[in-house]
């Protein structure tokens, strides 16, 4: 392994040999993509799109929690806020779905910037509480503001035509758009985690005073990852609004934040692929056990307890430990 | 690689008269408890200075408060003519001071290479990566190992190695020999001598008095949060009794 000889020109660990995606990660991504491409021919596409949107949402939270060490309990604000914005943009302003989704994502980032700049001043449980408090404010704003439709939410959002050309009314064409968005989001998260920026994040998560004493402005790093995470949560929420043609109070409710945390923990916090698995497990349970009504929540709680007792690293975390490889 | 290859553009190679770091009346607190009561230090460019003292005397705290890592401190810390007292820790790092903490602070989830390349460059004149490998050949062998999978000695080498790249010229080393095998201690001793030759200025906290006397120019004695004495290394033999009185139990 050769190392660059001239450190004088570099500020950050840019030139690394460990930064390239390891072969087995490429294989997993390829496998996931392959499965996702054939899955809609066997399973209900709308269900799969729901899984994908929640997977992206959980991955966004995991970026903050697993790699930044910051537990946000208010990610529903970004997810649901973006859902409202994109639903409004598509329905009232009549924008094309991709523009509506981009606007939703930007709204998530903007909200993340505001909430994040307050929240990162605190650590641990206080950080979680500050994010929760802000998310509750967003919830009540969503309940009261005229454009959100209050208890009704924004319904019958048109799926529209992608780029004004391709009609998304067919589930299949919508499915492939969602797949492209979610897969792109995942690759972006992967890139962030494995960038020099991601390394500084891990350093801050492990030993914040040490990172400061090496000369890093840690608050800027924390805020940046918060905004990135909020934007990606927004991307997930905005896409979800187009898929279900609906933005409602459920999307901004605190239990939505809790669900994202649950998915991340079940799948494996701090792993790349864990939140995908977690989201798939939770959404599948919600869908296929829906006939049991309120029992779903109880079963979810039970599974969560088992996960904490038996495999605290989450499903993927456990596999990674067995294989002795980061997944 | 030959010895000459390590030579950089670092200007001063011998201890010069101008103080690089001047500490006056430094006081510090951990919460309510007042730990440092008045530390005075003069460190000249190119020197190796140790802080000696019993456990709990305030040696580590002195390094931490120079670095601005404590919530409350008072007094004056002047580095290269610039008062650092009101700067946040990251600006102190940028001014050219680097600390190697006692617990080493190697980031567990990063590889050796990532740990090495993580600290930002604060100015020109740091060692290049090949130069660091020349000092610590073990690191080169273990580049892709995870930070925590290293032996204690290797972790210490990594902790020292990574601050040499940044261009900082004042190194604060907190007990670099603690808990290490004698052969590694020896290697660290050689490294410190080598770094001194390179023109680095070093403040060393040490429990191991024999080690300290083999590398240092001067020794400050710290007792109950105060610097109570300063002994030149050359006058050490003459002051042995005094030193035993300070450090003995």
């Amino acid at each position: 392994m050769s190392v660059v000889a001239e450190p004088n020109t570099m500020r950050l660990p840019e030139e690394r040999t460990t930064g390239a995606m390891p072969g087995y990660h490429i294989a997993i991504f390829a496998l996931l993509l392959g499965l996702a491409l054939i899955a809609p021919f066997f399973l209900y596409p709308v269900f799969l799109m729901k899984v994908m949107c929640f997977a992206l949402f959980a991955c966004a939270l995991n970026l903050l929690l697993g790699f930044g060490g910051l537990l946000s309990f208010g990610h529903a604000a970004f997810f649901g806020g973006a859902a409202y914005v994109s639903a409004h943009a598509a329905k009232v302003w009549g924008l094309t779905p991709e523009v509506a989704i981009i606007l939703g994502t930007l709204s998530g980032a903007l909200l993340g910037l505001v909430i994040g700049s307050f929240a990162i001043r605190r650590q641990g449980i206080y950080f979680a509480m500050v994010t929760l408090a802000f998310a509750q404010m967003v919830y009540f704003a969503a309940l009261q503001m005229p454009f959100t439709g209050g208890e009704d939410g924004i319904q019958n959002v048109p799926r529209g035509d992608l780029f004004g050309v391709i009609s998304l009314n067919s589930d299949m064409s919508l499915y492939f758009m969602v797949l492209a968005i979610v897969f792109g989001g995942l690759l972006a998260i992967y890139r962030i985690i494995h960038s020099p920026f991601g390394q500084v994040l891990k350093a801050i998560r492990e030993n914040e005073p040490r990172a400061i004493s090496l000369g890093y402005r840690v608050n800027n790093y924390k805020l940046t990852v918060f905004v990135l995470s909020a934007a990606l949560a927004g991307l997930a929420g905005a896409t979800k609004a187009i898929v279900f043609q609906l933005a409602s109070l459920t999307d901004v409710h605190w239990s939505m934040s809790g669900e994202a945390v649950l998915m991340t923990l079940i799948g494996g916090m701090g792993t790349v692929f864990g939140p995908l698995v977690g989201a798939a497990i939770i959404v599948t349970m919600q869908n296929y056990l829906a006939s049991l009504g309120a029992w779903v929540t109880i079963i979810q709680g039970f599974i969560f307890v088992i996960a904490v007792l038996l495999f605290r690293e989450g499903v993927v975390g456990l596999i990674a430990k067995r294989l002795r490889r980061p997944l | 690689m030959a010895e000459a290859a390590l030579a950089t553009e670092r200007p001063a190679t011998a201890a010069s008269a101008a103080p690089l770091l001047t500490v006056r009346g430094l006081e510090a607190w951990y919460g309510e408890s007042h730990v440092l009561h008045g530390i005075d230090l003069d460190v000249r460019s190119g020197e190796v200075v140790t802080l000696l003292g019993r456990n709990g005397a305030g040696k580590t705290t002195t390094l931490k408060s120079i670095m601005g890592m404590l919530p409350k401190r008072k007094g004056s810390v002047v580095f290269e003519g610039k008062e650092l007292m009101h700067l946040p820790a990251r600006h102190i790092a940028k001014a050219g001071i680097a600390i190697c903490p006692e617990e080493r602070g190697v980031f567990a989830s990063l590889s050796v290479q990532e740990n090495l390349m993580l600290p930002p460059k604060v100015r020109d004149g740091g060692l290049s990566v090949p130069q660091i490998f020349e000092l610590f050949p073990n690191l080169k062998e273990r580049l892709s190992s995870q930070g925590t999978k290293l032996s204690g000695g290797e972790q210490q080498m990594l902790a020292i190695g990574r601050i040499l790249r940044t261009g900082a010229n004042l190194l604060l080393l907190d007990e670099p020999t603690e808990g290490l095998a004698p052969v590694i201690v020896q290697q660290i001793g050689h490294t410190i001598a080598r770094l001194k030759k390179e023109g680095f200025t070093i403040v060393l906290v040490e429990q191991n008095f024999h080690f300290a006397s083999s590398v240092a120019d001067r020794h400050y004695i710290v007792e109950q949060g105060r610097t109570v004495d300063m002994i030149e290394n050359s006058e050490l033999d003459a002051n042995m009794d005094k030193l035993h009185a300070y450090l003995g139990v």
Side-chain angles (χ1 to χ4, degrees):
Chain A
M1 195 181 290
S2 76
V3 175
V4 282
E6 193 44 72
N8 287 346
T9 53
M10 59 181 108
R11 237 185 82 245
L12 278 169
E14 265 142 1
E15 316 226 9
R16 296 161 307 126
T17 46
T18 48
M21 202 188 274
Y24 65 98
H25 279 184
I26 298 177
I28 295 173
F29 271 117
L31 184 71
L32 284 174
L33 188 62
L35 282 176
L37 285 173
I38 55 164
F41 299 102
F42 300 97
L43 293 163
Y44 182 44
V46 176
F47 162 70
L48 291 172
M49 286 188 271
K50 185 177 178 189
V51 171
M52 288 196 291
C53 289
F54 278 95
L56 182 59
F57 183 31
C59 285
L61 183 86
N62 184 45
L63 174 64
L64 189 64
L65 173 60
F67 297 94
L70 300 166
L71 170 59
S72 161
F73 226 87
H75 255 46
F78 313 125
F79 182 82
Y84 277 115
V85 170
S86 101
H88 187 79
K91 187 180 179 185
V92 181
W93 297 338
L95 297 175
T96 52
E98 73 284 352
V99 179
I101 290 173
I102 289 170
L103 282 180
T105 309
L106 289 177
S107 73
L110 196 66
L111 199 55
L113 185 65
V114 175
I115 296 180
S117 52
F118 288 99
I120 56 151
R121 292 157 201 253
R122 290 288 171 266
Q123 269 112 29
I125 188 77
Y126 302 102
F127 176 87
M129 288 297 117
V130 172
T131 51
L132 176 61
F134 274 107
Q136 286 303 93
M137 286 163 63
V138 172
Y139 174 83
F140 285 106
L143 186 63
Q144 301 290 343
M145 286 203 312
F147 93 95
T148 58
E151 302 268 358
D152 298 335
I154 305 177
Q155 300 178 4
N156 296 324
V157 178
R159 285 182 176 181
D161 301 328
L162 182 62
F163 307 119
V165 185
I166 308 161
S167 167
L168 294 179
N169 284 325
S170 118
D171 280 348
M172 273 303 182
S173 43
L174 182 64
Y175 177 86
F176 288 106
M177 181 194 79
V178 173
L179 177 61
I181 290 174
V182 171
F183 204 73
L186 293 182
L187 288 177
I189 291 175
Y190 189 91
R191 186 71 198 89
I192 293 168
I193 293 168
H194 294 88
S195 68
F197 170 79
Q199 290 176 11
V200 177
L201 275 186
K202 290 176 210 164
I204 294 171
R205 176 190 68 190
E206 274 175 35
N207 192 339
E208 188 171 333
R210 186 69 192 122
I212 296 172
S213 70
L214 287 173
Y216 281 108
R217 195 192 280 250
V218 298
N219 278 353
N220 282 12
Y221 281 84
K222 285 186 187 173
L223 184 58
T224 308
V225 73
F226 195 95
V227 172
L228 286 171
S229 173
L232 287 159
L235 177 62
T239 310
K240 193 234 107 190
I242 300 292
V243 170
F244 287 92
Q245 305 182 273
L246 170 73
S248 72
L249 286 177
T250 326
D251 300 335
V252 277
H253 195 249
W254 64 265
S255 58
M256 183 62 81
S257 305
E259 236 161 62
V261 175
L262 184 69
M263 290 170 187
T264 305
L265 293 184
I266 295 274
M269 182 179 94
T271 62
V272 174
F273 302 102
L276 301 177
V277 174
I281 293 174
I282 300 291
V283 175
T284 307
M285 269 169 47
Q286 285 171 349
N287 253 49
Y288 288 95
L289 303 180
S291 54
L292 300 176
W295 281 95
V296 175
T297 326
I298 293 173
I299 296 171
Q300 263 181 25
F302 189 66
I303 289 187
F304 188 56
V305 170
I306 291 179
V308 169
L309 289 178
L310 294 184
F311 47 101
R312 212 170 294 176
E313 309 89 350
V315 176
V316 172
L318 190 72
I319 297 172
K321 206 164 115 183
R322 286 279 155 84
L323 296 178
R324 295 166 185 239
R325 266 157 206 251
L327 286 177
Chain B
M1 212 185 281
E3 180 108 348
L6 252 181
T8 57
E9 296 140 28
R10 197 172 295 285
T13 47
S16 61
L20 184 71
L21 175 79
T22 312
V23 177
R24 288 286 174 272
L26 184 62
E27 297 182 44
W29 288 260
Y30 284 115
E32 288 297 301
S33 56
H34 194 174
V35 206
L36 295 187
H37 297 270
I39 297 282
D40 299 308
L41 298 175
D42 285 295
V43 182
R44 295 188 284 268
S45 188
E47 261 191 325
V48 176
V49 168
T50 62
L51 304 182
L52 298 174
R54 294 190 179 113
N55 281 336
K59 308 182 294 289
T60 295
T61 311
T62 303
L63 295 194
K64 280 191 177 166
S65 38
I66 291 174
M67 205 64 209
M69 293 166 77
L70 295 181
K72 192 177 169 195
R73 56 192 189 132
K74 208 172 98 178
S76 159
V77 176
V78 177
F79 175 68
E80 292 182 332
K82 191 173 160 197
E83 177 61 65
L84 302 182
M85 215 48 199
H86 307 292
L87 295 181
R90 64 184 179 82
H91 283 303
I92 296 177
K94 295 236 157 108
I97 306 182
I99 188 167
C100 174
E102 194 173 359
E103 74 281 1
R104 296 171 192 149
V106 169
F107 297 114
S109 57
L110 301 184
S111 70
V112 168
Q113 184 170 8
E114 289 166 342
N115 263 291
L116 203 55
M117 302 310 275
L118 185 89
K121 241 177 109 52
V122 295
R123 51 163 107 168
D124 287 339
L127 297 190
S128 67
V129 172
Q131 287 173 332
I132 293 172
F133 288 153
E134 195 203 330
L135 280 173
F136 303 114
N138 299 37
L139 294 183
K140 195 173 180 176
E141 315 288 312
R142 314 227 34 190
L143 262 188
S144 49
S145 306
Q146 227 185 327
T148 37
K149 301 235 165 99
L150 302 180
S151 72
E154 286 167 336
Q155 285 190 28
Q156 189 64 59
M157 292 173 198
L158 178 57
I160 298 178
R162 67 176 171 182
I163 58 174
L164 301 179
R165 224 193 88 249
T166 64
N169 53 350
L170 174 62
L171 309 179
L172 311 177
L173 307 182
D174 197 353
E175 303 212 20
T177 63
E178 192 190 24
L180 299 181
V183 59
I184 310 281
V185 172
Q186 217 174 24
Q187 194 183 345
I188 297 216
H190 289 316
T191 305
I192 291 175
R194 187 70 173 273
L195 293 176
K196 177 180 154 74
K197 214 179 201 172
E198 283 291 307
F200 282 99
T201 309
I202 298 172
V203 177
L204 183 71
V205 162
E206 218 12 277
Q207 294 272 0
N208 183 339
F209 168 68
H210 294 287
F211 176 77
S213 63
S214 70
V215 294
D217 297 306
R218 291 184 299 130
H219 309 275
Y220 278 95
I221 314 291
V222 182
E223 213 170 63
Q224 296 184 341
R226 286 186 180 81
T227 35
V228 291
D229 210 342
M230 192 276 287
I231 303 173
E232 295 273 349
N233 201 45
S234 53
E235 297 162 10
L236 206 57
D237 290 338
N239 287 292
M240 248 354 190
D241 291 343
K242 200 159 83 175
L243 202 62
H244 279 299
Y246 281 131
L247 302 177
V249 244

